[in-house]
Amino acid sequence: LAIVDSKEQLGKEKKLRDANKHETIMGAFEDIYGVKTPINVKDIFNTCKEFGKKVLVFGRAGIGKITFCRYVSHQWAKSALWPEYNLVVLISLRSLTENRYSPLSSGKSYSLVDIVVKECFSRDLSEEDKNLLREQLNKRTVLWLLDGYDNIVQNVSSHLQHVFEQLINTPHHIVTSRPYFNTLSRSVRVEIVGFTDGNISKYVEVFFNQLRDKFPNALLEGQKVLKFLRLNPRIWGIAHIPVNLELICSIWSETD
């Protein structure tokens, strides 16, 4: 996945919105979603000026926001990212629904501990364990990964508003959102724009390699797909979005 500075991205998206002719639109689209110079994931906090590190990560539907969150969680667990944090917590904000979190009795509200226990553990914790977790969450060495801000911001149940605001105001966090549903203001804003050219080649190779038992010429078909994509710049442009490339490969593999 390539991550670019959102200032550059916003300028190019304005070009896309202002375009009138179809050809101009397609050219702008390829410029926006084509080859990018990646920002290393480990460096996204470097431009944070405040004491807390708060980053807003934009990405369109299907572009890989939850994959990004899972990736950085895994890398942190392997001690490959951000050793300054003693704990990384991944919360899917779309899970904060009334069906999942029924209103509590009068005067009570959900806490961060309640959310973490329900979303991150397969069983309930003892009171002793909850107290230990509460102590850990109160420290400033916790990084929160809050995925799907756009899925909840306009539909937060009143009894979940307090804990939602607690999550959004944690001192160290990465929030993901689709760009057109964001109301947050963060000094560091980056965007996942999809696969790099190298990612596309690797994805196609792996996709068709997995079909070798079913199709003896699967690897050859993979090479044909890459040739087809490179000969068609417009399709090559949209193939940088992961879900689009998956559809292209799936349709190709099912076509005689």
Side-chain angles (χ1 to χ4, degrees):
L1 295 176
I3 304 177
V4 299
D5 290 316
S6 61
K7 183 177 180 180
E8 172 192 2
Q9 189 75 4
L10 290 173
K12 291 186 176 182
E13 288 185 352
K14 184 178 185 301
K15 175 183 176 182
L16 180 59
R17 289 194 302 270
D18 294 344
N20 293 319
K21 296 182 179 179
H22 178 73
E23 292 296 329
T24 305
I25 291 176
M26 290 308 303
F29 185 91
E30 291 160 18
D31 183 38
I32 291 172
Y33 300 107
V35 180
K36 295 291 179 182
T37 302
I39 295 175
N40 197 308
V41 172
K42 68 181 179 64
D43 296 329
I44 63 174
F45 289 131
N46 288 354
T47 55
C48 292
K49 304 299 183 183
E50 298 84 2
F51 174 75
K53 296 178 179 178
K54 301 179 180 181
V55 174
L56 180 58
V57 177
F58 287 128
R60 287 154 187 77
I63 205 72
K65 297 184 294 297
I66 186 58
T67 301
F68 167 80
C69 289
R70 290 170 178 167
Y71 170 78
V72 297
S73 299
H74 181 65
Q75 292 299 302
W76 172 83
K78 291 170 52 180
S79 301
L81 276 181
W82 309 321
E84 63 268 30
Y85 294 109
N86 293 331
L87 180 64
V88 170
V89 182
L90 171 56
I91 300 294
S92 175
L93 295 177
R94 63 175 58 86
S95 297
L96 301 184
T97 63
E98 188 166 347
N99 288 336
R100 189 166 174 80
Y101 293 91
S102 302
L104 300 175
S105 57
S106 179
K108 293 185 178 181
S109 59
Y110 287 100
S111 67
L112 293 180
V113 171
D114 295 327
I115 302 300
V116 173
V117 170
K118 194 170 186 66
E119 300 302 323
C120 301
F121 291 87
S122 59
R123 58 177 178 80
D124 197 13
L125 301 184
S126 66
E127 286 304 314
E128 181 181 0
D129 287 339
K130 287 182 180 180
N131 287 332
L132 290 173
L133 178 60
R134 185 175 293 105
E135 290 178 11
Q136 185 67 43
L137 295 180
N138 286 335
K139 296 178 180 178
R140 289 186 172 270
T141 54
V142 179
L143 175 65
W144 296 81
L145 304 177
L146 308 175
D147 179 58
Y149 175 82
D150 54 288
N151 289 288
I152 187 176
V153 63
Q154 296 177 329
N155 299 291
V156 184
S157 297
S158 58
H159 68 285
L160 292 171
Q161 185 67 43
H162 176 69
V163 72
F164 173 67
E165 291 177 358
Q166 281 187 296
L167 287 167
I168 294 302
N169 290 309
T170 48
H172 302 277
H173 64 239
I174 296 174
V175 180
T176 72
S177 175
R178 283 181 289 175
Y180 304 118
F181 293 88
N182 173 63
T183 59
L184 289 175
S185 176
R186 295 291 184 269
S187 59
V188 180
R189 299 152 63 97
V190 295
E191 181 158 0
I192 302 172
V193 294
F195 284 148
T196 63
D197 289 356
N199 293 150
I200 291 177
S201 298
K202 185 63 176 179
Y203 182 93
V204 173
E205 176 187 343
V206 171
F207 183 95
F208 283 93
N209 187 52
Q210 294 175 341
L211 299 178
R212 284 186 302 172
D213 293 339
K214 185 177 180 181
F215 303 110
N217 62 340
L219 296 181
L220 178 61
E221 290 302 310
Q223 295 172 6
K224 290 181 180 178
V225 170
L226 285 174
K227 182 178 180 180
F228 168 78
L229 292 174
R230 289 171 176 146
L231 290 175
N232 294 273
R234 297 178 182 178
I235 301 177
W236 178 256
I238 65 172
H240 288 81
I241 298 177
V243 68
N244 289 344
L245 184 57
E246 179 184 10
L247 287 171
I248 291 169
C249 290
S250 296
I251 292 172
W252 188 286
S253 67
E254 295 173 3
T255 302
D256 294 332

